[in-house]
Each structure stands twice: as structure tokens, then as C-alpha cells.
Amino acid sequence: MIITDNELKHIMFDGFKAIKTIKNITPSVRHRMLGSLLSMNKNSWEVVGITEAALVKFIDNDFKRPKGVNRSHINQRSKTSKIMFERNDWTVDSWWKFYKDRDKCILATSSENMNKDPDIIFADVPSGLFKTRGFAYDVKDKEKEFLIGISKKL
């Protein structure tokens, strides 16, 4: 069964509202439930940038997906979840926009990702590259072509 983007948005919003009504669960359980629900979106964790250190790791690994480079959320998912559950005036469209606006990531090294300082974007990533594959991301020909192109800026 193929679900349209609009149907997905409504299904996820209905699920969010249902999670919100569950009594006597901790915020961390609620957050994990929301995370599972949001994983329905195959276009989640959109990559919009890459750090210089992450690019160097790609170069050193012949532009294949290297160990130690992951998607670093620009906005912490736990903070996004907290705001979502605290607000009571969501419409499906306002909730979806908030979620999509805060679901942006940059490719960064593990140490950059763990650091509390904001990551410095070396290059913007065009929409549609480094698509989600579970917790991982794809690096196919179009991603390699992009990485090779920006590596010339180093």
C-alpha cells in the first residue's frame, strides 16, 4: 500500500495526539514512542550540510560512507519532542511544519556530534542527498559526485 505524503502527515499527527493522551508515562518513554512514530517518514533526518572534518573522513575513505560520520541534528530531538508535547494548540499543518523545520541534520564526525558547540557547516547539501536508511544514510553515485565536487574547495 502506498501512502501519500499528505496521508502520512495525518497518520503521524493522529499518532502524536494519541501518544500525548497516554497517562502516567515518563517524558522519556513518550519521546521514544514519538521517535518510533516519526520513523514512518522515510524522508526524515534531512541532511542540509556537511562539516569539513566529515568531508575529510569521506575523502580518506574513497568517498564511501566512513565510520565516525553521522547525521547530527541541528535541533535536539528531545527538545523538539518536549516542545511538541507541551503545546496544546497544534493543527496538523502547524505540527508538521514545526517537525519538518526541526528535523534537519548535518553530516558531522562523532566527536563533533557529541560536542555541545554548534557544528560549522563547510558546505550546504542539496535536497535529496544522503537519504535515510534506518539510523544510517545512503551514499550512492549522486552523493559521491557531490562529495568529490566539494572536496575541491579544500
Side-chain angles (χ1 to χ4, degrees):
M1 179 172 108
I2 297 175
I3 297 174
T4 67
D5 288 345
N6 193 48
E7 289 171 327
L8 177 67
K9 174 171 72 172
H10 281 83
I11 290 167
M12 289 172 60
F13 184 64
D14 288 345
F16 160 74
K17 291 188 303 184
I19 293 168
K20 191 171 174 150
T21 64
I22 300 171
K23 304 247 187 282
N24 300 319
I25 60 173
T26 64
S28 64
V29 169
R30 198 177 304 277
H31 170 71
R32 287 194 309 274
M33 292 173 76
L34 178 62
S36 290
L37 178 70
L38 296 178
S39 73
M40 290 179 65
N41 180 10
K42 300 305 176 202
N43 294 315
S44 63
W45 297 17
E46 179 187 4
V47 174
V48 298
I50 185 170
T51 67
E52 185 175 340
L55 177 59
V56 168
K57 282 192 172 270
F58 273 101
I59 292 168
D60 292 345
N61 200 47
D62 198 29
F63 299 101
K64 296 178 188 121
R65 188 164 57 99
K67 290 187 187 294
V69 172
N70 43 45
R71 289 172 296 172
S72 175
H73 271 81
I74 294 169
N75 296 290
Q76 281 186 348
R77 290 178 295 144
S78 59
K79 286 184 181 175
T80 298
S81 173
K82 184 176 187 294
I83 294 167
M84 284 179 166
F85 286 117
E86 285 175 350
R87 273 187 58 183
N88 293 313
D89 62 344
W90 294 114
T91 64
V92 64
D93 291 325
S94 67
W95 179 83
W96 186 255
K97 181 178 181 340
F98 180 80
Y99 156 63
K100 292 297 287 178
D101 287 349
R102 292 182 62 94
D103 194 42
K104 308 246 185 276
C105 299
I106 62 170
L107 294 177
T109 64
S110 298
S111 58
E112 288 174 318
N113 192 18
M114 297 306 290
N115 186 333
K116 297 298 181 201
D117 296 331
D119 297 319
I120 298 172
I121 296 174
F122 173 75
D124 292 334
V125 172
S127 183
L129 295 183
F130 304 101
K131 289 287 205 181
T132 295
R133 190 166 31 93
F135 283 106
Y137 54 89
D138 284 328
V139 180
K140 296 182 179 177
D141 290 342
K142 60 186 176 178
E143 286 83 8
K144 288 178 185 177
E145 186 178 310
F146 166 74
L147 291 165
I148 290 167
I150 66 167
S151 70
K152 295 172 184 169
K153 295 179 184 178
L154 285 178

